[in-house]
Amino acid sequence: MSKVLRSVVTGVGGYLPDRIVSNEELARRVDTSDEWIRERTGITQRHQAADHQQVSDLAVEAARRALVAAGRTAADVDMIVLATTTPDLTFPATAAIVQRKLGCPIGIAFDVQAVCSGFVYALSVADGFVARGRSRCALVIGAETMTRLLDWTDRGTCVLFGDGAGAVVLEPGEGAGTTADRGLLGLALRADGTKQDLLYVDGGVSTNRQTGHLRMQGNQVFRHAVVNISEAVVAAAADAGIEVSSVDWFIPHQANQRILEGVARRLGIDETKVISTIAQHANTSAASIPLALDQGVRDGRIKPGQLLLMEAMGGGLTWGACVLRL
Ligand code: UT7
């Protein structure tokens, strides 16, 4: 059997800011209710970064925890790929800021912008380096301060998002070229720029020199979500050469409990295999998958050697899925 190099997740870490904002607190600020938010989304609370915290600070905390879990230090890191929609600055890339704050040696550092699909995109980009022997120790991070992008007068969006960061350490590992290998086994990425108006930010450097606010036609995005995500999951499973039913854990992007359940139902995934953090974290965009992974690893559900399926959809529209064995 031929030997192949795989990108193996050797450590996982997450970080959530201390401040918790309940639905009740939001209901005192905007025309909404705990009941509406719970019923339509599954969200009960979200975390919000403190004023002094930048998204790089959240990323650094998650990265430190992932490095400890991997038995590595900042000195080992030769590459940082960071997925975010809410960077510290327009430039430099937040990944380079994280590199400085962590004290990593000179290496590769850049951001990936695919909104809520950012972590799946970033993982695939890092895989392109690690599985070709071009990185020995990569940090792949999803980090967001989405609450800073919200229009607090728009109840259709401001109740949905939260702040946080999740990270994994990726290292090369030799496999036999079979589905029993540890590492990233299958991938499917998609983008459809014609659907921009469904989910976007109404500001930007080159448009109006402003940061802007998140705008979403929620019910339209919802309509596309289950169908698009399901197609990508089936494609990623085929790419990996596995059956969707054989995965141990389904770790979806956390946008709406009804979407999670809709995808799981459509694909015949048992609901006991779904990792859901939407109630506590709300939608943390690119951070939601690594945060959910971290949650599952820390509470002992997700174990080394298990087969994981991750998926996401977000602004672009972008979407995608990947299969990996931990
Ligand atoms: O992560 C990126 C991808 N994002 C997503 O996947 C999000 C996808 N979309 C969704 O999760 C859902 O569409 C939402 C949770 C955003 C909205 O749920 P919905 O069931 O699609 O509601 P809707 O937008 O169709 O609105 C239904 C009603 C409207 O009132 P009328 O017109 O029926 O009188 C809204 O004005 O709910 C009203 N509404 C609210 N009411 C209380 C909208 N937001 C709120 C709110 N509180 N926060």
Side-chain angles (χ1 to χ4, degrees), residues 31-33 36-37 40-41 116 155-157 159-161 199 216 218-222 225 253-256 258-259 283 285 313-315:
D31 181 16
T32 188
S33 66
W36 191 95
I37 302 170
R40 297 293 179 118
T41 71
C116 297
R155 68 176 183 172
T157 54
V159 303
L160 303 175
F161 295 89
L199 178 51
M216 178 164 71
N219 47 12
Q220 294 295 315
V221 176
F222 197 107
H253 167 52
Q254 312 280 322
N256 188 317
R258 289 187 289 143
I259 297 177
N283 183 345
S285 186
M313 190 183 93

Side-chain angles (χ1 to χ4, degrees), residues 2-243:
S2 64
K3 293 225 189 303
V4 296
L5 214 50
R6 303 277 198 190
S7 304
V8 180
V9 171
T10 56
V12 181
Y15 173 76
L16 291 158
D18 291 340
R19 175 153 152 65
I20 291 173
V21 180
S22 66
N23 289 348
E24 288 84 358
E25 183 180 339
L26 279 187
R28 289 194 288 274
R29 281 197 253 162
V30 290
D31 181 16
T32 188
S33 66
D34 174 49
E35 191 189 13
W36 191 95
I37 302 170
R38 273 177 205 260
E39 274 178 12
R40 297 293 179 118
T41 71
I43 297 166
T44 63
Q45 61 171 51
R46 69 286 294 139
H47 289 250
Q48 188 169 352
D51 286 345
H52 68 271
Q53 286 181 308
Q54 295 170 293
V55 76
S56 60
D57 296 318
L58 276 50
V60 163
E61 287 303 325
R64 282 204 178 111
R65 292 171 190 187
L67 285 169
V68 169
R72 299 284 174 210
T73 69
D76 297 315
V77 175
D78 58 17
M79 171 157 154
I80 301 174
V81 185
L82 188 146
T84 191
T85 292
T86 51
D88 284 12
L89 300 168
T90 301
F91 79 78
T94 303
I97 298 172
V98 168
Q99 185 201 41
R100 168 175 59 79
K101 288 184 174 176
L102 280 173
C104 302
I106 292 174
I108 305 164
F110 58 91
D111 292 354
V112 166
Q113 163 54 301
V115 204
C116 297
S117 314
F119 185 75
V120 179
Y121 269 68
L123 207 55
S124 77
V125 172
D127 176 58
F129 288 77
V130 176
R132 297 174 79 188
R134 291 180 173 157
S135 165
R136 302 289 312 162
C137 182
L139 271 171
V140 182
I141 307 171
E144 301 280 16
T145 47
M146 291 303 282
T147 63
R148 295 189 182 152
L149 211 50
L150 300 173
D151 173 354
W152 291 96
T153 66
D154 176 12
R155 68 176 183 172
T157 54
C158 75
V159 303
L160 303 175
F161 295 89
D163 302 334
V168 301
V169 176
L170 269 194
E171 298 183 58
E174 218 169 68
T178 72
T179 58
D181 291 350
R182 289 185 71 201
L184 190 68
L185 301 177
L187 185 69
L189 298 179
R190 310 274 187 262
D192 177 1
T194 66
K195 305 286 188 309
Q196 172 184 322
D197 291 350
L198 302 186
L199 178 51
Y200 67 103
V201 167
D202 62 2
V205 180
S206 192
T207 302
N208 59 4
R209 301 179 175 85
Q210 312 218 332
T211 308
H213 290 116
L214 185 146
R215 304 294 174 204
M216 178 164 71
Q217 296 177 41
N219 47 12
Q220 294 295 315
V221 176
F222 197 107
R223 267 192 337 110
H224 289 283
V226 175
V227 176
N228 284 353
I229 291 167
S230 300
E231 184 278 327
V233 165
V234 170
D239 189 44
I242 59 121
E243 296 294 329

